[in-house]
Amino acid sequence: MILVTGGAGFIGSNFVLDWLAHCDEPVVNLDKLTYAGNLANLHSVADNPSHIFVRGDIGDSGLVNGLLAQHRPRAIINFAAESHVDRSIHGPSDFIQTNIVCTFNLLESVRAYHAGLDEQGKLALRFLHVSTDEVYGSLGKQDPAFNERNQYAPNSPYSASKAASDHLVRAYHHTYGLPVLTTNCSNNYGPYHFPEKLIPLVIRNALAGKSLPVYGDGQQIRDWLYVVDHCRAIRAVLDAGRPGETYNVGGNNEKRNIEVVRTICALLDAYAPKASGSYADQIEFVKDRPGHDVRYAIDATKIQAELGWFPQESFDSGIDKTVRWYLDNQQWVEQVADGSYREWIDSNYKERQ
Ligand code: NAD
Ligand code: TYD
């Protein structure tokens, strides 16, 4: 039995689906169902007896202590977080609460659970914390990619809150001997990606005939990883990662934002052509994100050498799958893009005109 937190969000739900496709070890899935969590992502496992969904907050110690006592998981995998940089700029408070305070509460619950296990249980337990490459800050165009020894230098309230949680996780290993693992992954994309983030937002806006907002000059670089490759990396770290260690995970797919947007437009032109013109005609350069990180890039040598993990998708194959998934699942997109989503889009993009 494993306990997954945030398993109704983008990466968490992909992880749960991937896990249940590979084994029948049950998953308890604890998720608060914020705007970013959607049970529709888990529709295909709704009747699977190996998937136990619990709506709740990782910061609710009573609830979490009860779940740990009842299910006795051998591993806790923490995806739960506030995850959108632009939202963290508009309102950092939820990020401090969930990513720092609630993660601290979760660590306290797991520390107490670990202390109560027998020696064998203590040795077997893992707390895997899913983090981001954004904790390392921003690279210059010529800098070497981030490795695990890079100094943390977070620049947004989101990345600062994730950095704080990474430090707490590290401290719980160093001080209390909690068997923790941390993964720092680059930008993910794929099915069930909430349409506030660049790739699904561009697909949705393109099909709706709306403008495709590119921040600043569109020259910022992200290192894109197909979400299922990230899920495989997490399973590899859980299986054979060394407690106390961190593992950088990346796709070796550095792309400029404008390149990503143009690639999506070209795929849509091929799969869902407009009556006239290209989707690229809808591209609009808008006011930049404050403090916009210029470049992220991951050196994944450690996880490759120690755990034999390599991404299976190239950017070309992954983005093709992703665009086709969104074309086939437009109902899912409209279902998650509810009233609060529309309010967010209005407030984030109105000020960029
Ligand atoms: P997401 O925003 O899509 O999903 C987050 C999930 O956590 C949602 O289901 C939400 O309901 C849940 N949640 C939020 N607060 C909670 C709380 N207090 N208690 C319980 N559940 C709560 O995020 P994502 O993109 O799937 O990211 C998952 C994790 O991976 C995050 O920790 C993020 O920092 C990290 N990460 C994301 C990326 C990326 O590109 N998306 C890359 C690297 C790392
Ligand atoms: P995003 O998907 O929000 O991920 P992150 O900020 O965590 O990297 O954004 C990816 C890149 O795309 C980032 O450089 C900001 C840029 N971007 C746009 O140009 N336009 C948009 O509407 C959004 C949401 C992002």
Side-chain angles (χ1 to χ4, degrees):
M1 161 77 69
I2 62 167
L3 172 63
V4 165
T5 73
F10 165 46
I11 306 174
S13 63
N14 274 283
F15 181 83
V16 168
L17 298 177
D18 188 59
W19 181 269
L20 293 172
H22 281 90
C23 69
D24 52 14
E25 185 176 5
V27 181
V28 176
N29 183 353
L30 172 64
D31 195 298
K32 189 176 172 182
L33 296 182
T34 67
Y35 78 92
N38 290 291
L39 283 178
N41 304 11
L42 299 161
H43 173 73
S44 62
V45 293
D47 297 325
N48 185 331
S50 295
H51 178 239
I52 300 156
F53 183 80
V54 179
R55 184 173 191 176
D57 195 313
I58 56 166
D60 180 344
S61 306
L63 173 68
V64 175
N65 293 344
L67 289 174
L68 293 170
Q70 181 187 351
H71 297 289
R72 323 283 310 157
R74 70 171 175 94
I76 296 95
I77 303 161
N78 183 33
F79 293 94
E82 289 294 334
S83 69
H84 189 32
V85 173
D86 293 319
R87 285 191 194 247
S88 83
I89 294 168
H90 280 244
S93 162
D94 285 350
F95 289 72
I96 305 307
Q97 185 59 31
T98 284
N99 299 358
I100 306 178
V101 178
C102 294
T103 305
F104 159 71
N105 288 353
L106 177 66
L107 281 164
E108 279 291 90
S109 294
V110 176
R111 177 163 81 92
Y113 171 61
H114 178 250
L117 294 173
D118 61 21
E119 283 315 306
Q120 215 183 341
K122 278 198 176 92
L123 275 177
L125 189 73
R126 295 289 180 270
F127 179 91
L128 193 156
H129 180 62
V130 179
S131 192
T132 165
D133 58 357
E134 303 191 23
V135 296
Y136 296 119
S138 183
L139 292 168
K141 298 261 157 88
Q142 305 302 326
D143 290 339
F146 301 127
N147 64 43
E148 292 79 0
R149 292 175 305 284
N150 270 75
Q151 195 179 327
Y152 274 29
N155 290 319
S156 72
Y158 163 65
S159 53
S161 66
K162 289 296 291 186
S165 66
D166 292 9
H167 289 322
L168 283 170
V169 169
R170 177 191 153 91
Y172 271 61
H173 175 72
H174 193 78
T175 304
Y176 304 115
L178 199 68
V180 305
L181 299 155
T182 299
T183 54
N184 292 92
C185 187
S186 60
N187 285 61
N188 284 215
Y189 67 101
Y192 303 114
H193 203 180
F194 193 76
E196 64 185 356
K197 306 279 172 67
L198 178 70
I199 288 179
L201 180 109
V202 163
I203 299 172
R204 180 172 189 266
N205 281 16
L207 294 173
K210 294 184 178 158
S211 74
L212 312 180
V214 174
Y215 295 169
D217 60 5
Q219 295 301 311
Q220 300 78 15
I221 293 170
R222 299 291 182 263
D223 179 358
W224 294 95
L225 181 70
Y226 191 64
V227 63
V228 178
D229 276 326
H230 187 192
C231 296
R232 291 177 43 252
I234 291 170
R235 276 195 282 118
V237 172
L238 188 62
D239 282 352
R242 288 178 290 132
E245 292 290 317
T246 66
Y247 294 88
N248 281 2
V249 184
N252 214 10
N253 280 310
E254 285 187 56
K255 303 281 173 207
R256 288 169 205 278
N257 292 339
I258 187 65
E259 231 184 298
V260 171
V261 174
R262 288 195 191 286
T263 302
I264 294 169
C265 291
L267 287 167
L268 288 174
D269 285 341
Y271 292 133
K274 300 213 286 189
S276 68
S278 163
Y279 288 100
D281 302 338
Q282 293 167 225
I283 292 173
E284 194 184 326
F285 291 90
V286 299
K287 194 168 159 216
D288 208 351
R289 172 187 282 173
H292 199 169
D293 283 341
V294 173
R295 175 178 165 236
Y296 306 138
I298 280 281
D299 175 350
T301 309
K302 180 175 173 182
I303 188 171
Q304 292 170 354
E306 280 191 21
L307 306 180
W309 173 89
F310 291 88
Q312 288 181 357
E313 299 288 346
S314 65
F315 187 70
D316 285 347
S317 66
I319 195 71
D320 185 278
K321 277 188 184 175
T322 302
V323 167
R324 283 192 286 120
W325 187 89
Y326 277 89
L327 285 170
D328 292 343
N329 291 276
Q330 291 183 54
Q331 219 186 335
W332 175 87
V333 178
E334 293 323 309
Q335 193 179 337
V336 303
D338 62 4
S340 70
Y341 172 78
R342 283 192 290 277
E343 276 168 32
W344 161 252
I345 294 294
D346 284 349
S347 74
N348 187 42
Y349 293 96
K350 200 166 57 197
E351 69 189 30
R352 295 183 191 278
Q353 296 306 317

